[in-house]
Amino acid sequence: MSNLTDIGHKIKTVGFVAPQAIAGSSEVLTSAIDTQAAGFVSGQLIATVGATTGTPTAASFAVSLKHCATSGGSYTVFTPGETGVASTLTLATTDTTAARALNIDLRGMERYAKISITPTFTGGSSPATLLAAQLVGVNSTTPTSVS
């Protein structure tokens, strides 16, 4: 019988965007994350948004997991083969009460990954929002069931 009460050492934060003010429309990227070295096969992209300043009439934030074969190459949004759905969370300024999460099958991902945040603001006077994101991974030796 597997013991699923002590799995904390199997779950690791492999990349994050520290809480910061996100303004304008420029993409914010983490540095390259070597997912092969970590041995992760599954993960969760988690993001949370704080209060918005500058009174925009609308705001949204695309938080994506991007991948590339080389750390300095051109990154594209990762789309797991199993689901065929891009690994992107879309948050609005109304999503301030809880973190949003997206489960991602990391098999088939190229070696390097980055978390991308792309803000979109409409109107307002220098709008900005506090936002944080992280990728939490589970490696291939993590038990998946109790037998």
Side-chain angles (χ1 to χ4, degrees), residues 20-69:
Q20 62 182 286
I22 306 290
S25 59
S26 297
E27 178 182 42
V28 175
L29 283 169
T30 63
S31 56
I33 303 160
D34 187 347
T35 61
Q36 184 179 36
F40 293 114
V41 295
S42 181
Q44 194 170 60
L45 183 61
I46 304 166
T48 186
V49 63
T52 300
T53 61
T55 60
T57 55
S60 65
F61 312 91
V63 180
S64 302
L65 183 62
K66 293 187 168 189
H67 68 140
C68 184

Side-chain angles (χ1 to χ4, degrees), residues 58-132:
S60 65
F61 312 91
V63 180
S64 302
L65 183 62
K66 293 187 168 189
H67 68 140
C68 184
T70 62
S71 63
S74 180
Y75 285 76
T76 59
V77 175
F78 175 61
T79 300
E82 184 178 291
T83 63
V85 177
S87 56
T88 301
L89 281 170
T90 302
L91 291 89
T93 53
T94 55
D95 292 325
T96 58
T97 57
R100 301 260 326 267
L102 177 66
N103 295 324
I104 305 170
D105 180 351
L106 299 176
R107 294 174 293 181
M109 176 187 252
E110 295 189 58
R111 180 172 182 168
Y112 295 94
K114 290 185 177 187
I115 299 171
S116 162
I117 300 171
T118 305
T120 303
F121 292 101
T122 304
S125 175
S126 301
T129 241
L130 188 65
L131 196 139

